[in-house]
Amino acid sequence: MIKRKGAFKVNLSTVTILILFIFAVSGYFFIKAQMNFELRLKERFFKHKHKYLSQMVEITKKWLLSEALMISQEPSVKNSYIKNDPEIIKKQFEPFWEKLHKDFGVEEMHFFKYPKINWFSFAKMTSKPCNAKVREDILWIQSAFRPAVYFYVCKRFPGLRASYPISVNGKVVGALSFGIHVETLRKILQEPINARVFYLIDKRVLKENLEKKAYEKLLKKVAFSDNRYFYFHIKEGFSNNTLKLGSYEKGELFYVFYPLKDEKGNVLGYIGIKKGFSDIFSHIKKTTLTVMFAFFTVFAVIFFVSLLNIYHLKQQRKEVLYLLRLLRRRQFDELETYYFSSKPTGDVNDEIRRNIYEIGVTLKKYIDLLCQRLKEASQKAFVDALTNTNNRYVLEKIDNMLEKMGKEAVFSVIMIDIDHFKRINDTYGHEVGDLVLKSIVDKIRSLIRSSDILVRYGGEEFIIYLPHTTLKDALKLAERIRKGIEDMVIETEDGKKVKVTISLGVAEREPGETLEQVIKKADEALYRAKKQGRNRVSD
């Protein structure tokens, strides 16, 4: 070996000692890790399985709710209630119901008509409406006027329910109840994991709600019972405090619990997971030496192979960083040129270059498409570019909001027109006209509330939407705005002083009127104000 001044001397002995040292340190930490493995495994089980339970139950709830939403919003459903004909529902959904029942274990698809009519039931396939037992969950959906997914025990089975209100012309006329058996939920949870999934349900709730035959059939499946709960698929019980904690440890057995709540948040039972680790711990102890030997062998091979490939990897790293830099700078043409001019190396680097190139092609297409979409969207922007106010498309959003608020919502509208605005443009030019528009907008904004919405309705026409405002208060505000504009002096860049006035029409919503109707009344009032001489307020 040639010795150089200042160079570090490396020989086979040094490398061997270094490797042995790494092996020794690795073995120490490996053995130490094994000593704490049981504790970590238990912690991971509690953490992951509880997360798994909650996430899977929530996913199942969302699936049920999405199906209920899709069905309840079908035009044929509303048509059935309007025409008072449940046969419409049967014809529309019978094949769909059979698939849901067969493939997904859906036990119930009931259509209710308020206050307590079973409008149509796919559970027993009957289309003859009949008075049903009052369902607290369905009444709750009616009063809350919003969908929900919850655990419920009906006369046929216990399980998860998704209930969605059915409305016609803004009025709730019924509800759809869509559910699966708790046993189906257990199977959904059981399939992906190597552990036992079980559940327990309040005995009193089952007895009070299930039909006699359904209750007796369910009792045959009970594996254990205590003072409060029936247990299924597990032959042991737990105290209320243990269940509320959400986890439990007994020797090498570990449990997690997830509460099953009704629509009001009351706990009717729990679903849980049981897992034993004795076999795992025994197997780990027997295979520790084998694993350590394999680890050391693989480590040594990787170590020597890595030394041989370091230079090659550095070159590949430089090339990849260069391609990524081109991608980050969106230099797609340069990226394409480099890709097709580079020679294949016959290793994974070829795949990396190809993927980066394909990402660049896809990204370029996406950016082009996004620019096109933005261009289209800009044609219907919600902000007027000149005055920075809302444009008339905002009125569509206000109209949608009013539909949710109901026919009795109180609001007023002020419609404003600048007097002789064409004369201002003809006399001073369009730049001064634009300045007048901006100045008037600034003045109006200083006088209205933050909740009021100012909209540029046309060239020199503006609308102010005043929520929760009567005609009396709207007229006061309109007069303040008129007076404020009248007293305002607008100074142009060349020193000219311009004074303007405005005419205002005010209207208040009568019960049942649409926003368009109120705007029309305000427009008529504005016409009267202009006809009476301008620079005034009319209602």
Side-chain angles (χ1 to χ4, degrees):
M1 178 176 288
I2 300 175
K3 296 183 180 179
R4 296 180 180 176
K5 188 177 181 180
F8 179 73
K9 181 180 179 181
V10 179
N11 54 32
L12 184 60
S13 298
T14 304
V15 174
T16 302
I17 293 172
L18 178 62
I19 293 175
L20 290 175
F21 175 76
I22 294 174
F23 283 173
V25 172
S26 301
Y28 168 76
F29 283 107
F30 181 81
I31 294 172
K32 185 177 180 180
Q34 294 304 314
M35 293 172 64
N36 296 320
F37 180 77
E38 292 185 13
L39 178 62
R40 296 200 310 272
L41 189 61
K42 179 184 68 174
E43 292 175 349
R44 289 181 64 186
F45 172 78
F46 286 146
K47 178 181 178 181
H48 293 164
K49 289 300 182 285
H50 193 277
K51 185 177 180 181
Y52 167 79
L53 268 180
S54 60
Q55 287 183 343
M56 286 297 293
V57 172
E58 289 303 315
I59 289 171
T60 306
K61 286 182 177 180
K62 289 178 180 178
W63 169 69
L64 289 172
L65 191 62
S66 66
E67 295 290 345
L69 167 63
M70 178 188 69
I71 295 169
S72 63
Q73 296 300 310
E74 273 287 322
S76 58
V77 174
K78 297 183 179 181
N79 195 29
S80 171
Y81 282 82
I82 293 172
K83 294 185 177 181
N84 204 33
D85 184 5
E87 279 292 329
I88 296 175
I89 293 177
K90 180 181 180 182
K91 293 177 182 178
Q92 178 70 22
F93 293 105
E94 185 172 353
F96 180 64
W97 156 253
E98 290 174 354
K99 183 171 181 61
L100 285 176
H101 183 64
K102 179 181 178 181
D103 297 345
F104 300 100
V106 175
E107 296 287 342
E108 177 187 78
M109 196 161 83
H110 281 182
F111 292 85
F112 291 90
K113 187 175 183 180
Y114 290 129
K116 59 171 186 174
I117 296 178
N118 186 349
W119 187 238
F120 189 87
S121 171
F122 278 101
K124 293 185 178 180
M125 201 62 71
T126 173
S127 60
K128 294 181 179 180
C130 61
N131 286 328
K133 179 182 177 182
V134 174
R135 287 266 299 266
E136 292 185 3
D137 61 322
I138 298 300
L139 294 179
W140 184 85
I141 292 298
Q142 179 191 20
S143 61
F145 193 59
R146 64 183 177 86
V149 185
Y150 48 88
F151 187 77
Y152 188 77
V153 180
C154 69
K155 64 181 181 179
R156 294 181 61 244
F157 68 95
L160 281 182
R161 307 298 174 93
S163 295
Y164 207 96
I166 298 173
S167 61
V168 176
N169 297 326
K171 179 181 178 182
V172 179
V173 296
L176 166 63
S177 179
F178 190 85
I180 61 172
H181 199 291
V182 67
E183 180 64 25
T184 302
L185 175 63
R186 188 195 74 83
K187 292 178 180 178
I188 292 173
L189 297 172
Q190 177 73 64
E191 186 175 353
I193 63 173
N194 182 24
R196 175 176 295 182
V197 180
F198 61 91
Y199 55 91
L200 49 142
I201 306 176
D202 192 296
K203 298 164 72 173
R204 179 186 59 82
V205 174
L206 289 174
K207 189 172 183 179
E208 289 179 355
N209 291 277
L210 287 176
E211 289 180 338
K212 184 178 179 181
K213 289 184 179 180
Y215 181 73
E216 292 174 351
K217 183 179 180 181
L218 191 65
L219 285 182
K220 296 178 181 179
K221 299 180 181 180
V222 173
F224 182 79
S225 67
D226 57 20
N227 294 332
R228 184 172 180 181
Y229 295 105
F230 284 133
Y231 294 77
F232 301 85
H233 302 282
I234 189 170
K235 295 182 179 180
E236 54 189 305
F238 309 94
S239 67
N240 282 330
N241 290 334
T242 299
L243 294 169
K244 290 178 181 178
L245 286 174
S247 61
Y248 177 59
E249 175 185 355
K250 183 180 179 182
E252 293 182 345
L253 296 174
F254 305 101
Y255 308 80
V256 292
F257 311 100
Y258 183 83
L260 300 172
K261 298 180 180 180
D262 66 8
E263 75 281 1
K264 296 180 181 178
N266 302 315
V267 177
L268 305 186
Y270 292 84
I271 193 160
I273 297 178
K274 174 183 178 181
K275 178 72 175 178
F277 293 100
S278 58
D279 294 339
I280 296 176
F281 295 155
S282 176
H283 177 73
I284 289 172
K285 291 174 182 178
K286 292 179 181 179
T287 58
T288 297
L289 292 176
T290 304
V291 172
M292 289 178 62
F293 176 77
F295 169 75
F296 291 153
T297 302
V298 172
F299 181 83
V301 172
I302 294 175
F303 177 77
F304 285 109
V305 171
S306 297
L307 288 178
L308 296 175
N309 291 312
I310 284 177
Y311 178 77
H312 183 59
L313 291 174
K314 284 184 176 180
Q315 296 303 315
Q316 290 181 341
R317 178 177 175 271
K318 289 180 179 179
E319 184 178 36
V320 169
L321 289 176
Y322 174 71
L323 293 175
L324 290 175
R325 187 159 55 249
L326 292 178
L327 188 64
R328 185 175 66 250
R329 294 174 179 175
R330 297 190 294 278
Q331 295 174 308
F332 301 117
D333 293 336
E334 291 86 344
L335 179 63
E336 183 177 3
T337 301
Y338 183 88
Y339 173 73
F340 285 108
S341 62
S342 59
K343 296 180 179 180
T345 57
D347 55 20
V348 71
N349 199 48
D350 291 341
E351 184 71 14
I352 294 173
R353 285 201 305 267
R354 184 180 63 81
N355 285 332
I356 294 176
Y357 167 70
E358 290 178 354
I359 290 172
V361 172
T362 303
L363 187 59
K364 185 176 185 300
K365 291 180 180 178
Y366 176 77
I367 292 174
D368 292 341
L369 178 61
L370 185 61
C371 291
Q372 179 63 27
R373 295 286 175 85
L374 288 173
K375 183 178 179 181
E376 295 172 359
S378 65
Q379 297 175 358
K380 197 177 179 181
F382 288 99
V383 177
D384 178 61
L386 175 63
T387 61
N388 199 29
T389 61
N390 299 299
N391 63 23
R392 65 191 304 158
Y393 291 111
V394 172
L395 298 176
E396 296 178 9
K397 297 185 70 175
I398 297 175
D399 201 29
N400 294 335
M401 176 185 67
L402 291 174
E403 290 183 6
K404 298 179 181 178
M405 294 172 63
K407 298 181 179 180
E408 304 301 323
V410 176
F411 68 87
S412 294
V413 168
I414 299 176
M415 197 162 189
I416 302 171
D417 184 79
I418 303 174
D419 296 334
H420 303 298
F421 185 70
K422 185 177 182 301
R423 186 186 300 170
I424 295 173
N425 279 331
D426 293 343
T427 304
Y428 301 100
H430 288 282
E431 290 185 1
V432 174
D434 292 345
L435 177 63
V436 169
L437 287 171
K438 293 177 183 178
S439 301
I440 288 176
V441 166
D442 292 339
K443 186 63 178 179
I444 293 174
R445 279 179 173 157
S446 69
L447 296 173
I448 62 177
R449 304 169 299 185
S450 60
S451 59
D452 300 334
I453 300 176
L454 177 61
V455 178
R456 187 179 182 186
Y457 194 67
E460 68 271 19
E461 288 186 328
F462 295 87
I463 285 178
I464 307 176
Y465 169 75
L466 306 170
H468 312 296
T469 304
T470 62
L471 179 64
K472 180 180 178 182
D473 292 333
L475 286 169
K476 292 180 180 179
L477 174 61
E479 179 57 30
R480 287 199 302 272
I481 293 173
R482 186 204 66 79
K483 179 63 174 165
I485 301 301
E486 183 183 39
D487 296 339
M488 185 172 61
V489 177
I490 303 170
E491 187 171 347
T492 65
E493 291 184 359
D494 56 1
K496 296 178 182 178
K497 295 183 179 180
V498 181
K499 295 201 66 172
V500 294
T501 60
I502 58 174
S503 300
L504 305 94
V506 185
E508 178 185 0
R509 182 198 196 184
E510 298 296 332
E513 286 185 337
T514 64
L515 176 62
E516 183 180 357
Q517 291 172 328
V518 180
I519 291 175
K520 184 178 180 181
K521 291 196 304 182
D523 188 35
E524 293 171 352
L526 173 63
Y527 176 78
R528 291 193 292 272
K530 293 167 69 175
K531 191 174 181 181
Q532 293 168 5
R534 294 184 172 83
N535 191 22
R536 65 189 67 242
V537 177
S538 179
D539 60 0

